[in-house]
């Protein structure tokens, strides 16, 4: 979970940086900066966990890995179905909703299969934070739709 989420968060940071570089909506730019800051902090927490933990293979770990790969596959398929407009702000919101949902799916799977309380606390926080961000992004999309 820690290694996978570290990479997943880096993807969110890269999308956020692209938004800051090319986006022009103040609300989405602000959300992007907040996401970058939160993801960077979580990456550090995940790195700290990985530095102090020696992984041990287990059946539960294998189950989590399978569910994580399914979540990533769903994210990739959903991204392929998204209609991107070329508007950086819109496209960031659409893609980040899908990206956050896959992180929440992996975090939920960790809560079911994991046994490290520290990671479970992080997973719960990720679910809470990213659920709120999805709601905010959806509200922005509805407010700014052009159809």
């Amino acid at each position: 979970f820690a290694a996978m989420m570290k990479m997943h968060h880096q993807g969110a940071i890269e999308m956020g940086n692209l938004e800051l570089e090319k986006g022009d909506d103040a609300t989405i730019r602000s959300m992007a900066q907040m996401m970058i800051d939160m993801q960077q902090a979580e990456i550090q927490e995940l790195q700290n966990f990985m530095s102090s933990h020696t992984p041990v293979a287990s059946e539960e770990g294998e189950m989590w890995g399978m569910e994580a790969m399914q979540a990533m596959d769903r994210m990739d398929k959903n991204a392929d179905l998204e209609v991107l407009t070329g508007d950086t702000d819109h496209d960031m919101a659409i893609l980040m909703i899908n990206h956050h949902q896959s992180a929440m799916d992996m975090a939920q799977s960790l809560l079911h299969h994991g046994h490290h309380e520290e990671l479970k606390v992080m997973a719960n926080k990720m679910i809470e934070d990213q659920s709120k961000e999805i709601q905010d992004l959806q509200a922005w999309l509805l407010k700014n739709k052009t159809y």
Side-chain angles (χ1 to χ4, degrees):
F1 176 80
M4 178 78 79
M5 290 310 299
K6 188 176 165 193
M7 289 187 306
H8 197 266
H9 282 3
Q10 188 59 48
I13 290 169
E14 290 169 12
M15 283 193 280
N17 283 330
L18 187 60
E19 169 61 29
L20 294 178
E21 179 185 332
K22 297 185 178 213
D24 56 18
D25 183 88
T27 301
I28 294 296
R29 289 175 54 83
S30 176
M31 285 184 197
Q33 185 61 61
M34 181 187 68
M35 287 179 212
I36 290 168
D37 295 343
M38 291 174 70
Q39 301 291 296
Q40 287 174 331
E42 286 181 0
I43 284 174
Q44 187 58 54
E45 288 180 59
L46 293 164
Q47 184 60 49
N48 291 344
F49 175 84
M50 290 179 356
S51 295
S52 66
H53 174 74
T54 302
V56 177
S58 70
E59 188 174 317
E60 288 294 323
E62 288 180 30
M63 292 297 296
W64 179 86
M66 184 177 61
E67 290 177 12
M69 293 313 297
Q70 290 170 346
M72 294 296 286
D73 287 344
R74 277 191 305 276
M75 180 185 74
D76 290 344
K77 287 177 185 169
N78 286 337
D80 288 343
L81 296 172
E82 297 294 349
V83 176
L84 301 181
T85 65
D87 177 281
T88 302
D89 304 311
H90 172 273
D91 294 350
M92 162 74 172
I94 287 289
L95 292 171
M96 192 55 71
I97 289 169
N98 184 33
H99 187 85
H100 277 357
Q101 184 60 57
S102 71
M104 290 171 41
D105 291 346
M106 287 187 278
Q108 192 64 45
S109 180
L110 175 84
L111 294 175
H112 182 73
H113 296 292
H115 58 276
H116 288 280
E117 192 58 35
E118 181 180 358
L119 287 181
K120 286 184 173 189
V121 168
M122 290 178 68
N124 274 317
K125 184 177 182 325
M126 286 177 200
I127 292 167
E128 181 181 324
D129 291 346
Q130 293 186 10
S131 177
K132 170 75 168 90
E133 289 172 12
I134 286 172
Q135 291 172 0
D136 291 345
L137 291 164
Q138 289 171 330
W140 183 89
L141 284 166
L142 290 170
K143 179 181 176 188
N144 292 281
K145 66 183 179 180
T146 58
Y147 52 89

